[in-house]
Amino acid sequence: MRNKNLILNYVFLSCVIILFMNDHFFKFQYTSWFTGKLSDAVGIILLPMLMTFAFPKLKENSVFASGLFFVFWKSPFSENFIKIYNAISPIDIHRVIDYSDLIVLLLLPIPYFLIKKDHIFENFIIKKIHTAVVLFPTVFVLMSTSQSNGYTYSPETGKLAFRDFNFEMKKTESDLLKKLEEQHIKVVKDTVQILQSLRYEISAMGKFDQDAITKGGDIFKVDNAKLRKRIEERIYYSSDYKIKELKIGERTVKNIRFSIEPAYNKINAKKFVAIKLHELEIDKRLDDDKVAARLREIYQSVIMSRFKNF
């Protein structure tokens, strides 16, 4: 029988609230070593209690299971698991390999004691509430802690992929590109992205020769002249761009991929465009607080300093 006191007590609920606030507010407003470790600290306390509630037979063993899972999660061995999960899930997760995070394992005696002496929760629980009211938000908070606030960082490649980052400018596309050139920022068409967007169209332009599978020759046949013309047209009209390198202070940001899109302003739509940032590369294997600090540096240097005068 599940012990609802394990997730309806004030210790568990406080951990969930702190976890949510830290990952969605404190980390970005007060970036520091403390906020970088705070989520792991409260997470390692609430996870064993959550596991014991979900699997009552585990009892105190959930503490050891949580510790082993945390070590696995913070190790390179979890990378394949994350890739498989992200391939099938609509919500991507990530983590940064930082072995200093393992220091929070020293807190495991706290949930061990709370689970073993669960009767102490009798006077510290919310009685008139269904467990589902707490359980589902807790799972959501745990899932969202594995995401970034608007971006996903891959420590192995240093890539920052943005989900929804754009800003408007009172310029046409041609004027904006001219201004970038005046700033000695070399912008080229993002041919990799353009070709990727054409893959289904290219497939429709050709045909498969099944006999070539056994007899030899070209299995997929396409009119190369027609294909070249289509690709050149798409590149010419595309608004997908890339900046190979951009110097920001003493650091260099690479492969900045972005698109320039119309910004539908009711007053003067023709003079407005929006830059939509897709991806860029920074240093590899940074922890969360350093990624957030680097983003602030990029934002202040590029957007606030360079683009504000455009």
Side-chain angles (χ1 to χ4, degrees):
M1 183 177 178
R2 290 187 174 88
N3 183 357
K4 64 179 182 179
N5 292 354
L6 288 169
I7 64 171
L8 296 182
N9 64 81
Y10 290 111
V11 174
F12 184 89
L13 294 173
S14 297
C15 286
V16 174
I17 293 170
I18 293 171
L19 188 61
F20 177 81
M21 292 298 295
N22 190 58
D23 282 317
H24 296 276
F25 179 73
F26 297 144
K27 277 186 178 181
F28 307 100
Q29 295 296 322
Y30 310 104
T31 302
S32 66
W33 181 90
F34 177 75
T35 54
K37 296 290 184 283
L38 182 58
S39 293
D40 290 328
V42 295
I44 204 68
I45 293 174
L46 71 84
L47 183 59
M49 289 191 284
L50 179 63
M51 290 183 66
T52 305
F53 171 78
F55 308 103
K57 291 184 179 180
L58 281 176
K59 296 184 179 179
E60 299 90 350
N61 290 329
S62 63
V63 174
F64 304 106
S66 298
L68 290 173
F69 175 78
F70 188 80
V71 172
F72 167 76
W73 181 250
K74 291 293 182 178
S75 74
F77 298 108
S78 62
E79 186 61 29
N80 288 333
F81 166 79
I82 294 172
K83 288 180 179 178
I84 294 172
Y85 176 87
N86 288 341
I88 61 176
S89 172
I91 304 176
D92 286 352
I93 60 174
H94 88 292
R95 61 85 183 86
V96 176
I97 299 176
D98 183 358
Y99 294 116
S100 68
D101 291 341
L102 299 180
I103 193 172
V104 302
L105 294 175
L106 296 174
L107 298 174
L108 282 174
I110 296 175
Y112 182 86
F113 173 80
L114 293 174
I115 294 169
K116 194 172 182 64
K117 306 290 184 180
D118 60 349
H119 62 274
I120 65 175
F121 290 134
E122 289 295 337
N123 297 320
F124 301 97
I125 63 169
I126 303 176
K127 296 181 179 180
K128 295 182 179 181
I129 188 173
H130 195 278
T131 54
V133 177
V134 173
L135 186 61
F136 290 113
T138 299
V139 173
F140 172 78
V141 169
L142 286 170
M143 291 294 294
S144 65
T145 63
S146 299
Q147 303 180 79
S148 303
N149 190 23
Y151 63 85
T152 300
Y153 172 67
S154 172
E156 287 72 25
T157 63
K159 287 185 179 180
L160 272 170
F162 298 89
R163 289 191 288 276
D164 186 19
F165 184 87
N166 57 75
F167 54 97
E168 294 184 4
M169 304 191 70
K170 296 181 180 180
K171 293 286 181 183
T172 62
E173 183 173 340
S174 59
D175 287 341
L176 176 59
L177 293 173
K178 185 178 179 181
K179 274 290 185 180
L180 289 171
E181 185 179 354
E182 290 174 359
Q183 295 259 346
H184 305 290
I185 300 174
K186 187 178 180 180
V187 181
V188 297
K189 289 293 181 76
D190 189 359
T191 52
V192 173
Q193 174 62 25
I194 296 169
L195 291 175
Q196 180 73 6
S197 66
L198 271 171
R199 63 188 185 277
Y200 297 115
E201 190 173 339
I202 292 172
S203 178
M205 290 175 66
K207 62 180 182 179
F208 289 96
D209 184 356
Q210 296 183 5
D211 293 335
I213 297 174
T214 55
K215 296 180 179 179
D218 295 330
I219 297 175
F220 183 77
K221 296 181 179 180
V222 65
D223 186 331
N224 284 290
K226 185 178 179 181
L227 176 61
R228 176 180 290 275
K229 182 180 179 181
R230 184 69 190 97
I231 291 174
E232 289 175 347
E233 286 177 352
R234 178 59 70 89
I235 292 174
Y236 179 80
Y237 289 108
S238 175
S239 293
D240 291 315
Y241 296 97
K242 182 171 75 173
I243 299 173
K244 293 183 178 180
E245 288 188 352
L246 183 63
K247 194 77 173 178
I248 299 176
E250 297 181 354
R251 300 186 179 92
T252 300
V253 179
K254 297 182 178 180
N255 296 322
I256 304 170
R257 293 181 46 248
F258 65 97
S259 58
I260 301 176
E261 303 177 354
Y264 297 103
N265 185 281
K266 293 181 180 180
I267 300 174
N268 200 352
K270 293 183 179 179
K271 293 185 178 180
F272 282 73
V273 294
I275 295 179
K276 186 172 184 179
L277 185 60
H278 301 300
E279 186 180 272
L280 56 82
E281 292 179 17
I282 57 176
D283 299 337
K284 299 178 181 180
R285 301 194 181 282
L286 297 176
D287 54 28
D288 288 341
D289 58 330
K290 289 182 180 178
V291 173
R294 192 64 48 83
L295 277 174
R296 284 198 302 273
E297 180 183 10
I298 293 170
Y299 181 83
Q300 292 171 358
S301 176
V302 178
I303 297 176
M304 298 305 293
S305 298
R306 295 197 184 194
F307 287 171
K308 70 179 181 180
N309 296 319
F310 276 23

